[in-house]
């Protein structure tokens, strides 16, 4: 599904380069559940943003389902992002002025899904997440856990092949965090969704198949979990 070859991200300052990522070679197969770990400043979020086509690497090659992302125009990259990917953020990134229903519906509007189809798709997801009673509430009327559920519902509404999650339980209580991770595991095992998460939590890492540890922008280790 994903192949990175010699991916680098750096900033120039005069003649020197400040590296955020260096010599990243990585393959992620469809259906994997991959965790990216490492200390602050290791390049975790930058790598996730490159995978999600939110940032471009300075050098290197990125293939997504054999498409050479590094050679594509921005419009084509945006199309791939919209049709194949769902993002879950630590800070939820919900739109305050929209209801739960409208937040979840937003990706379908970008994809120009017909009104009738949107209604049935949103209704299905609301039911799946037990949020039918909250569909007309606004984000500030929800708990942190409920807001994150809305964020995940929005990420999966268009049935993405890949979910990219940046510290998805970072702002949640332990029980809420466990519920989110169980949901990810279910999406991965039952729906076959490929998941790449960034986390500091060793416990969350064990929900996946594989842990990649970054250190100073390098891949320090890449190992299977003891599932």
């Amino acid at each position: 599904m994903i192949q990175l070859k010699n991916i680098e991200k750096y900033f120039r300052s005069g003649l020197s380069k400040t590296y955020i990522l260096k010599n990243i070679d990585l393959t992620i197969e469809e259906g994997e559940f991959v965790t990216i770990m490492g200390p602050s400043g290791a390049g975790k979020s930058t790598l996730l943003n490159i995978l999600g086509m939110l940032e471009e690497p300075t050098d290197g090659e990125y293939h997504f389902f054999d498409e050479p992302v590094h050679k594509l125009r921005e419009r084509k990259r945006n199309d791939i992002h919209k049709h194949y990917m769902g993002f879950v953020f630590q800070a939820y990134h919900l739109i305050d002025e929209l209801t739960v229903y409208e937040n979840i519906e937003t990706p379908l509007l970008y994809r120009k899904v017909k009104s009738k189809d949107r209604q049935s798709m949103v209704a299905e997801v609301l039911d799946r997440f037990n949020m039918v009673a909250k569909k007309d509430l606004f984000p500030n009327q929800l708990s942190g856990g409920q807001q994150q559920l809305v964020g995940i519902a929005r990420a999966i509404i268009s049935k993405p092949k890949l979910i990219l999650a940046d510290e998805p339980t970072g702002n949640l209580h332990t029980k809420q965090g466990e519920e989110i991770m169980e949901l990810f595991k279910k999406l991965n095992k039952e729906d076959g969704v490929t998941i790449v998460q960034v986390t500091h939590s060793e416990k969350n890492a064990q929900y996946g198949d594989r842990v990649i540890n970054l250190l100073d922008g390098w891949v320090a280790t890449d190992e299977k979990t003891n599932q």
Side-chain angles (χ1 to χ4, degrees):
M1 180 187 230
I2 289 171
Q3 190 163 29
L4 303 184
K5 188 175 181 183
N6 199 29
I7 290 290
E8 298 193 329
K9 181 77 174 182
Y10 56 81
F11 297 100
R12 290 186 181 276
S13 178
L15 296 175
S16 65
K17 296 177 183 176
T18 302
Y19 281 92
I20 299 170
L21 295 172
K22 196 167 187 180
N23 294 334
I24 301 288
D25 291 320
L26 195 60
T27 299
I28 296 172
E29 303 290 350
E30 191 169 4
E32 278 196 289
F33 188 154
V34 177
T35 301
I36 300 171
M37 301 188 79
S40 295
K44 303 183 298 296
S45 292
T46 300
L47 178 56
L48 198 73
N49 286 340
I50 287 172
L51 292 174
M53 303 179 197
L54 300 178
E55 283 188 54
E56 290 186 55
T58 314
D59 286 321
E61 298 180 7
Y62 175 9
H63 289 86
F64 185 82
F65 282 123
D66 296 327
E67 286 270 18
V69 175
H70 52 286
K71 293 182 179 178
L72 300 178
R73 294 181 183 274
E74 186 176 357
R75 185 173 177 180
K76 177 65 174 173
R77 288 200 305 271
N78 287 340
D79 282 345
I80 292 173
H81 176 95
K82 276 191 296 191
H83 287 88
Y84 288 94
M85 299 180 181
F87 256 91
V88 179
F89 300 95
Q90 179 178 357
Y92 317 136
H93 285 226
L94 301 181
I95 301 168
D96 293 337
E97 297 78 21
L98 300 184
T99 63
V100 166
Y101 184 102
E102 291 164 340
N103 266 285
I104 294 171
E105 182 187 37
T106 300
L108 303 179
L109 295 171
Y110 287 132
R111 291 181 63 177
K112 297 181 171 59
V113 176
K114 292 177 182 175
S115 175
K116 189 176 178 182
D117 293 334
R118 290 201 310 270
Q119 288 174 12
S120 64
M121 290 168 80
V122 176
E124 180 187 331
V125 169
L126 285 168
D127 186 51
R128 180 175 187 176
F129 285 72
N130 297 316
M131 288 192 297
V132 175
K134 295 181 172 60
K135 68 183 178 68
D136 296 320
L137 298 181
F138 291 90
N140 64 4
Q141 296 173 293
L142 304 174
S143 70
Q146 290 166 343
Q147 289 188 59
Q148 191 59 298
L149 276 178
V150 175
I152 294 171
R154 182 183 58 187
I156 72 164
I157 184 73
S158 51
K159 296 181 169 55
K161 297 281 189 184
L162 172 66
I163 287 179
L164 298 158
D166 195 356
E167 296 283 3
T169 67
N171 289 330
L172 305 180
H173 300 307
T174 303
K175 187 174 185 299
Q176 292 172 329
E178 288 173 354
E179 289 170 358
I180 297 299
M181 292 311 302
E182 287 294 340
L183 180 60
F184 279 150
K185 193 170 184 177
K186 191 174 181 183
L187 286 168
N188 176 248
K189 298 300 181 193
E190 295 183 11
D191 297 3
V193 179
T194 306
I195 296 176
V196 181
Q197 69 162 343
V198 163
T199 185
H200 282 100
S201 167
E202 294 280 356
K203 184 177 179 183
N204 287 359
Q206 295 308 307
Y207 281 87
D209 318 306
R210 179 178 166 202
V211 178
I212 296 165
N213 269 292
L214 293 185
L215 185 63
D216 298 329
W218 300 76
V219 174
T221 60
D222 182 350
E223 298 170 338
K224 296 285 186 183
T225 57
N226 298 318
Q227 284 204 88

